[in-house]
Amino acid sequence: MTFKELNLAPALLRAVEEQGYEIPTPIQQQAIPSALEGRDVMGRAPTGTGKTAAFMLPTMQRLQGRDGGVRALVLCPTRELAMQVAEAGRDYAKYSELWVGVVYGGVSLDRETRDLRAGFDIMVATPGRLIDHIERGNVDLSNLEVLVLDEADRMLDMGFRPQIDQILRNVPKKRQTLFFSATMPNSVKSLAYDILNDPVTVEAAPQVTTAEGVAQFVYPVDARKKTDLLLHLLKDPELSSSIVFVRTKFSADRVAGQLSRAGIKVEALHGDRNMVQRGRALESFRSGEVQVLVATDVAQRGLDVDGISHVINFDAPSDPEGYVHRVGRTARAGETGVAITFMAGGEVGDVAAIEHLLGRRIPRVNVEGFSFFVEEPVVEGAPPAPPVKRETKSEAKKAQRLTRGRRMGTRTGELSAEELEAILQVS
Ligand code: AMP
């Protein structure tokens, strides 16, 4: 399917072509036709799937050639995402007479107020800052036609539900709502249920997946040698543009400091850095001036930087889904990339949880002098190991029952004759 077949306006087709997009991504193919019909959409799509164009293009098509103040609002969880979405929006609107504006916390309210008065057709905003503007009477959403929630799960994780509810009270009930979330826990479903009207459901990919082009490896490492291993790996010129994820702000600054002292061009990105510092860090990483970005999970989702060669999990993510988001920073839209996860003794369980979620084992790479133990199978160099078949639910249950039976040394009453025999054989 081509973009033309999606029946987009020539001005939008031209902009998309200029972006170098040839075919619509699966989420675009699914979402755009329904959104163009005016239907509500509930999309399960992580960043990197082309979801921004999936909601921006039909929204722009709908708004073309008509005035009337802010007619589309895109809510985003973070400033970084808001900036990116607005930037993408401006690219897509290049040949349409539509103004895309963005408001987010951390910058001068006055300047934003001036911009707002100048008038936007499409407004991209973080919830807290938007409420500031609503309360100051700087923005009128009464003509809103399209409401987009981007990364709804992340907004809820960040505690924005009350703000979202407040914003909903300021927008017309009769509107189109496009709702995107990488994951669909109950809190997200309940929000979707509350705000969507008979939505079409679209899905970018199965719930848990990591980009196909990403080669993934786990490096067992002595916890005290993580920085040394990182420095060792960074000697490789292939690691031209890497994001290093750490668990805390403190580690982000510490690791960035250590790399910097070793002569590596590095920036840290975390929640304690102010807007200007974050913007500068991202910009110098984007431009290639800085080789390494050390980030906490603030930067985990929504960070759209082209050409990231490596994602390095210096610390394993605290939840397995976080792994999928982090790894999604590389190999965007069909490129290739590498994801490396350091595994110290205390992180074996975290890695096991990730592998369980992915349904396969990630190959290990032992680098001599750094590993805390040598684990089989050892992969020298890179070729990924064949995927390991995931236990089916019934197999897993059976194994569980067997161990339980074994541990207790008794039969549990639920065991079949065959299972009982197995237990008798081992005990
Ligand atoms: P998103 O998921 O919206 O953050 O998009 C991820 C990346 O894919 C961005 O760099 C987009 O510019 C790019 N992209 C979006 N749609 C397409 C497409 N149809 N073909 C190629 N790249 C695309």
Side-chain angles (χ1 to χ4, degrees), residues 182-228:
T183 57
M184 291 287 170
N186 285 340
S187 56
V188 173
K189 283 189 196 139
S190 128
L191 175 64
Y193 181 81
D194 288 349
I195 69 171
L196 293 169
N197 175 21
D198 186 24
V200 177
T201 312
V202 298
E203 195 157 342
Q207 185 182 5
V208 175
T209 177
T210 45
E212 273 178 24
V214 188
Q216 299 166 56
F217 304 99
V218 166
Y219 283 58
V221 60
D222 183 326
R224 291 157 305 178
K225 293 188 182 163
K226 280 185 171 181
T227 308
D228 292 337

Side-chain angles (χ1 to χ4, degrees), residues 3 21 23-25 28 47-52 304 306 332-333:
F3 278 100
Y21 303 171
I23 48 163
T25 64
Q28 291 162 1
T47 301
T49 52
K51 68 181 162 58
T52 314
D304 182 15
D306 284 337
R332 314 289 302 276

Side-chain angles (χ1 to χ4, degrees), residues 1 3 6 23-35 41-58 150 178-182 184 200-206:
M1 184 186 267
F3 278 100
L6 289 173
I23 48 163
T25 64
I27 197 77
Q28 291 162 1
Q29 296 191 19
Q30 298 172 60
I32 293 175
S34 302
V41 171
M42 168 150 155
R44 192 209 295 264
T47 301
T49 52
K51 68 181 162 58
T52 314
F55 61 73
M56 275 295 186
L57 296 173
D150 194 7
L178 309 175
F179 185 102
F180 287 85
S181 188
M184 291 287 170
V200 177
T201 312
V202 298
E203 195 157 342

Side-chain angles (χ1 to χ4, degrees), residues 85-137:
V85 166
E87 207 175 298
R90 287 178 187 134
D91 288 337
Y92 303 143
K94 196 165 164 194
Y95 301 105
S96 309
E97 304 238 312
L98 291 169
W99 289 100
V100 180
V102 58
V103 298
Y104 43 75
V107 296
S108 140
L109 261 169
D110 288 346
R111 218 191 66 204
E112 282 187 350
T113 305
R114 274 199 306 278
D115 288 351
L116 276 170
R117 300 237 158 100
F120 294 146
D121 301 294
I122 298 176
M123 177 153 146
V124 183
T126 53
R129 179 50 71 103
L130 177 61
I131 285 175
D132 279 351
H133 285 296
I134 291 176
E135 285 174 350
R136 285 177 160 76

